[in-house]
Amino acid sequence: MSGPGGPGAAAPAPPPAAAAPSAAGPRKGTSLWADAWKRLRKNHMAMLGLWVVVAMSLVSALAPWLVLFDPTYEENWIGAQAPGHRHPDVLTKNVLEVGQPAEVAAGQRAAGEVVFICDETVETEYRIAVRRGKVSDVQRAEGAIKLEALDASAAGDALVEVLEDGTRGPRLEGVRVEKGAPLPEAFGARGRSAVLFVRHVEGARKRVEYRATLVDGVVRALARDGAPVPRAELSGRDLLEVSADGRPQTHAHPLGTDLKGRDLLSRILYGGRISMLVGIVATVVSLLIGVVYGAVSGYAGGRTDDVLMAIVDILFAIPYMFLVILLLVNFGRDIVVLFIALGAVQWLTMARIVRGQILSLKEKEFVEAARMSGTGPAGILFRHLIPNTMGVVVVYTTLTVPAVILQESFLAFIGLSVEYQGQSLESWGALVKAGVDSLGTDGSRSWLLLWPSFAMAATLFSLNFLGDGLRDALDPKQRGRS
Amino acid sequence: MGRYLLRRVIQVPIVLWILVTATFFLMRYTPGGPFDMDKQVDPAVKAQMEAKYNLDKPMPVQYGLFLWDLVRLDLGPSFKNKTMTVNEIIAAKAPASAVLGLYAVVIALVLGLGAGVVAGVRQNSVFDYGSMTVAMVGLAVPTFVVGPLLALVFGIYLGWLPVAGYEGMDGLRYLVLPAFTLALPFAARIARLARAGMLEVIHQDYIRTAWAKGLSEQVVVLRHALRGAMLPVVSFLGPAVAQILTGSLVVEQIFGIPGIGREFVQGATNRDYTLVMGTVILFGVLLVGFNLLVDILYGFLDPRIRYA
Amino acid sequence: MTTPAPSPAAAAGAPGQGPALAPVLAVDDLHVRFRTDDGHVHAVNGVTFEVRPGESLALVGESGCGKSVTSMTILRLLPSPPTEVPKGTIRYRGDDLLRLSNRQMRRVRGGKVAMIFQDPMTSLNPFLRVGRQLTEAIELHLGLRGAAARARAVEALREVGIPGPETRVDAYPHELSGGMRQRVMIAMALVTGPDLLIADEPTTALDVTIQAQILDLMRRLQRERGMSMILITHDLAVVAGMCTRVVVMYAGRIVEEAPVDDLFDDPRHPYTLALLESVPRLDAALGRRLRPIEGLPPKLTEPPVGCSFAPRCRFVLDRCRTETPWLEPDADGRLRACFVPLRRGRPLAPAGGPAGAGPAAEGAGGST
Ligand SMILES: Nc1ncnc2c1ncn2[C@@H]1O[C@H](COP(=O)(O)OP(=O)(O)OP(=O)(O)O)[C@@H](O)[C@H]1O
Ligand code: SF4
Ligand SMILES: [Mg+2]
């Protein structure tokens, strides 16, 4: 060996030091996803978002097992009650009959003694006929006893009309129906001839105690104030107290109830199911179309790419929401239609994003290597290229779900809430709409607006933060971009 | 610029044609015609009505007649509002929507750009975090939640502003809440885009050059950084118009503003074919027009495109 | 540029006369670090050097050794989080630039000390006409406005050899070639008449022929104006042709400082030696072997202990790993930071030192 600078063997292979990677160059070892997770964990807002999303999803998915009330179960007699309202537990089936099973509200045992204390009102049904604008006949339904007049003007008394469909009209107080006189104005405009059925509700209430003995959930004995009766119909409105084996039975509505007495918490959780379902399914639809379309376009390149992307450009310029509205209005609001309609709007962006990724990926060596080893175009596309776009796809998916939820709720808000087999499905949007509608002029029933809004906003907020965080984590260079 | 614009201009009629055709067939091939809802209409009258509105003709003829009318800018008579043509309805209702939209755009641009640029320049400051959190709320919380809440707080609890109604351009009090509601998501988007644009630009070499010249921060930001930072905002303005239009459907409903959005929703539920068609076409034209405008604006802002 | 004539040398460049003239710029014990997620990156660790009036000083070293960070710190162009300057002074004509207010600093930037960056493609604002980018500096530092400013801009473009400056002044950067853009950058930097120019790899991004043109232009303008210059480069050939003195950096420290001819003839630091051996030289004996520097520069995440070059040094001693060598004059008065005295590429046998250490290590390195 000669000294430095002297002639020697051929120049060695390693590159000159100037080209060596710098100290801060890329470090290998941890995978992309593990790295991203590490970065995501440092982003507090995104992690909070993640937990909220996970919690919301779990709670919504498990709603049927978590919630005490069927969200459609109406307790009309309690009406809209503020959050935290507590009232005596009522059987879902308000009829108790000896020998028949008693459907008991949650938390109650199938055996033992249940005591109901009611404030019963005395109600009598009457039939009123009107002819030529005058009351021609007043008759007590039971026993068909004809009367000259029906007086409900005493304090606490009221007349309630039983409508055609069996529901009850409003309480009319201070009215008196007299034969030969015109029908009191309180009944509203009627034809010149009409027949009405009304119930006279007497103000004086009577406290009554029912005792039911249950064995295996079946009513074995029933007594009214100590006297055995075969059957009793209990109105939730009158119920003061229910106790089973001496223990009081009540139930609470943590978030209150809506105008029909439906439990708001259950409604929100079930609403979340609908919203999330729509969000996820429509996103999956858009994902399938968008990824395949974008990947094909990007991979094919050239003319095909130009044409495919021109189509996307054109479709992008169409105000889709209006077409979706027309579609829902005209072809029914079935949830399947909605999935397709919303998914069809969203795939455009996904296609663009995936195409961009594929364009840059397909120049990489590993694609060439795969081609050399005889993999066909479809194989390269689906086994090599598409899996490598998963980073952006995941990010964009997290951002699409809230976008879709938002759109569905928008549709629900303008009155196009989805249906499944003709049954209306009330998503968060529909609940918010209901909240707005039932606020009252003084805003006194604000909980009906606030809670659904909060649930929805928290979820959307979290999803957006999570999406943002994921993007930053997966692509630190892009940090902060929108 | 020429080629680029040409491509955009060619797209315009295609987009409009697709939109119009899709609308036409969606409306015609639906179960339940326009006169099926009124139960009272007797068959003779119904036939007469259908003849009047060309509904008895074969579909291609209907489609042809419809396109012809459209070319003459005649949107036809309203199906439901027998005394007015669709043109008249639009003329009557458009001003309210336009005024509302205009205020919303101005509010959104002022708030969004201001907050976004400052947040970008002062990255990681309290202002940055604060305004971006607010922006996220603006994005995540739907218009129809914000609207009623604002109405509840400022209209009902505090009683500062009216919650519903419209008094024309001068009835500013009536427009504050709806315009803010409509502007919020839009402002949020703009703020985020402007901030992201700013962050991207502010780390560019040419900004370093500007600093190296001894320019003040104000000049560096306003003269050198702002233009580049605006580009993403500008390209968003096209889609933003669509957002404002759809947003107005809800906002007009919430705040009782007699605009086109309300007409559209009502028309859609009433199957007022011509009215719905008219509004969708109007929205489409607006959207396409604004997109084109935005493309031109973009070209002017970015010399690299202008001369491409 | 074939045989770069050794500059007849502005008198100020001669080492002996240094103290006679106050330096334009004096950097003293400068430390710069970056706060990152994984702790601090210590990019510059105690750098000291001077730029004398009319002199052109070269700053050389491997990629990542801290040349750009040093130069940008001089103009305070690095954003404050994450950059921290925990220690050191940068005196420009007596004022410590690190202590100036923002307003005072702005007068220095562009006006007194100008900078040219590596990539002309991205260093000009794509949204503004070339003329506007020149006139804003003219307005700010020369106080000219309107037509006068524009005329000055045209003149500046002509001076840097841009053909048709009257029309090019209205061009956008993307309408110009890379070489033209770098000329615009130079015009922009020089139009205000600064007395110190910092050029951070001004030609790295350009074709070889254009490189030569740009360097010629810079050399001409520098001489005409008697301006001082710091030239940052990887390219030792450029250093030989343009500069009077060379500062060699390694891992955020200066390892050797010498007049250009001395450095090329007889490097006194092992790293400088390795650097010279790793590039082809026109004046070297034919058939001289190129020898790349083995290994990687150290990570800068820890403040270095001992000599940073130790892992790659063929003359390494035990004490090199524990003791830090400081930049000191050797027996001949040459400045270098090393424990082993080198003469013409060989260690001088110290009194009790193992004379064979050098060649042995060298042999091991060479056999790979
Ligand atoms: N913002 C930063 N955050 C963390 N480390 C940084 C930052 N900027 C520079 N560095 C590190 O500081 C060191 C010095 O960088 P510098 O740009 O000064 O090198 P250089 O000598 O100019 O190299 P080159 O020849 O490649 O331009 C590098 O290791 C680099 O990774
Ligand atoms: S101090 Fe030691 S390790 Fe450092 S360069 Fe000199 S001989 Fe090599
Ligand atoms: Mg550098």
Side-chain angles (χ1 to χ4, degrees), chain A residues 3-6 9 15 17 20 23, chain C residues 62 277 288-289 293 296 298-299 312 362:
Chain C
E62 263 172 301
E277 282 171 4
R288 186 184 69 106
R289 212 184 94 203
I293 308 177
L296 294 178
K299 288 205 167 123
R312 303 166 76 185
E362 187 192 330

Side-chain angles (χ1 to χ4, degrees), chain A residues 104-435:
Chain A
V104 187
Q108 293 178 356
R109 57 215 60 206
E113 190 160 73
V114 187
V115 179
F116 303 87
I117 296 179
C118 310
D119 239 0
E120 275 191 350
T121 42
V122 181
E123 281 192 17
T124 332
E125 189 162 300
Y126 294 88
R127 176 181 173 280
I128 301 170
V130 183
R131 198 153 297 151
R132 287 193 215 94
K134 298 239 162 59
V135 175
S136 58
D137 183 42
V138 179
Q139 216 179 89
R140 192 163 118 188
E142 199 182 333
I145 299 160
K146 293 199 185 243
L147 304 168
E148 282 308 301
L150 171 56
D151 189 3
S153 56
D157 275 18
L159 290 186
V160 174
E161 185 175 356
V162 180
L163 302 170
E164 239 178 291
D165 57 1
T167 59
R168 295 160 71 100
R171 274 171 70 88
L172 308 174
E173 288 174 15
V175 285
R176 184 183 151 86
V177 182
E178 210 169 327
K179 210 164 147 183
L183 196 65
E185 273 171 29
F187 283 95
R190 302 281 160 159
R192 286 179 60 78
S193 302
V195 174
L196 293 76
F197 291 90
V198 300
R199 278 173 166 258
H200 181 203
V201 182
E202 281 170 56
R205 285 166 163 266
K206 200 167 132 221
R207 186 146 304 180
V208 181
E209 186 195 276
Y210 286 95
R211 235 167 236 279
T213 312
L214 306 181
V215 177
D216 291 338
V218 175
V219 181
R220 289 286 169 226
L222 186 64
R224 181 178 189 272
D225 279 343
V229 285
R231 185 188 144 88
E233 211 168 310
L234 304 178
S235 162
R237 186 204 325 266
D238 306 329
L239 223 52
L240 292 180
E241 208 182 302
V242 178
S243 50
D245 293 342
R247 262 185 284 169
Q249 299 283 310
T250 57
H251 67 208
H253 299 282
L255 299 185
T257 55
D258 72 356
L259 293 180
K260 290 180 170 170
R262 290 176 292 193
D263 182 59
L264 190 59
L265 178 63
S266 326
R267 276 165 67 70
I268 288 175
L269 294 186
Y270 274 82
R273 277 164 82 85
I274 308 300
S275 284
M276 299 240 190
L277 186 72
V278 171
I280 290 167
V281 175
T283 301
V284 169
V285 171
S286 80
L287 209 64
L288 292 180
I289 309 177
V291 169
V292 172
Y293 191 100
V296 167
S297 178
Y299 186 64
R303 259 260 131 76
T304 321
D305 184 38
D306 283 350
V307 171
L308 288 179
M309 281 301 122
I311 293 176
V312 168
D313 279 351
I314 286 171
L315 293 181
F316 217 80
I318 292 174
Y320 253 109
M321 214 53 205
F322 299 106
L323 292 186
V324 172
I325 293 174
L326 290 186
L327 198 70
L328 291 178
V329 166
N330 295 335
F331 291 96
R333 298 162 3 211
D334 197 87
I335 196 161
V336 179
V337 176
L338 189 82
F339 288 154
I340 294 170
L342 291 183
V345 183
Q346 294 294 334
W347 71 268
L348 295 168
T349 317
M350 186 68 87
R352 279 184 172 172
I353 290 176
V354 170
R355 167 185 172 266
Q357 287 279 307
I358 297 281
L359 274 185
S360 62
L361 278 174
K362 74 172 179 184
E363 305 300 335
K364 297 260 164 74
E365 305 81 35
F366 72 91
V367 176
E368 197 47 44
R371 200 173 291 130
M372 292 299 190
S373 66
T375 316
I380 290 178
L381 202 52
F382 286 97
R383 247 176 296 130
H384 295 280
L385 289 176
I386 291 182
N388 271 295
T389 62
M390 279 308 125
V392 264
V393 170
V394 164
V395 169
Y396 187 66
T397 303
T398 4
L399 294 172
T400 303
V401 173
V404 173
I405 291 180
L406 207 59
Q407 280 164 357
E408 188 280 328
S409 61
F410 164 80
L411 291 171
F413 189 85
I414 61 172
L416 298 173
S417 59
V418 286
E419 292 172 348
Y420 177 64
Q421 297 181 341
Q423 250 198 329
S424 177
L425 300 176
E426 293 188 291
S427 68
W428 281 334
L431 293 187
V432 171
K433 166 76 170 157

Side-chain angles (χ1 to χ4, degrees), chain A residues 24, chain C residues 34 36 41 43 62-69 82 118 201 234 300:
Chain C
F34 299 101
T36 69
V41 174
E62 263 172 301
S63 189
C65 69
K67 306 182 297 288
S68 297
V69 170
Q118 175 173 349
E201 306 191 32
H234 287 138
L300 298 171

Side-chain angles (χ1 to χ4, degrees), chain C residues 216-361:
Chain C
D216 279 345
L217 172 69
M218 288 179 60
R219 185 165 39 205
R220 178 170 63 79
L221 291 171
Q222 190 226 346
R223 288 204 189 132
E224 280 172 17
R225 297 176 175 223
M227 176 177 65
S228 310
M229 178 160 88
I230 299 176
L231 179 73
I232 296 171
T233 181
H234 287 138
D235 189 343
L236 293 173
V238 169
V239 173
M242 301 259 315
C243 302
T244 43
R245 246 171 0 111
V246 185
V247 164
V248 182
M249 284 187 72
Y250 184 79
R253 281 194 181 137
I254 294 179
V255 293
E256 180 163 7
E257 182 194 319
V260 67
D261 296 335
D262 291 357
L263 187 98
F264 279 82
D265 286 350
D266 183 9
R268 293 288 168 92
H269 190 280
Y271 173 65
T272 318
L273 178 66
L275 201 62
L276 288 173
E277 282 171 4
S278 71
V279 294
R281 280 173 68 184
L282 288 171
D283 58 341
L286 265 166
R288 186 184 69 106
R289 212 184 94 203
L290 286 188
R291 181 205 279 260
I293 308 177
E294 307 284 332
L296 294 178
K299 288 205 167 123
L300 298 171
T301 41
E302 301 290 324
V305 176
C307 176
S308 313
F309 192 54
R312 303 166 76 185
C313 181
R314 65 183 102 139
F315 307 112
V316 64
L317 307 174
D318 282 346
R319 66 184 288 215
C320 301
R321 303 189 200 279
T322 49
E323 261 177 81
T324 307
W326 296 107
L327 192 64
E328 284 168 342
D330 64 8
D332 299 344
R334 295 272 306 268
L335 287 167
R336 87 283 177 265
C338 177
F339 297 124
V340 176
L342 281 188
R343 292 295 180 275
R344 307 228 157 250
R346 287 172 180 281
L348 243 169

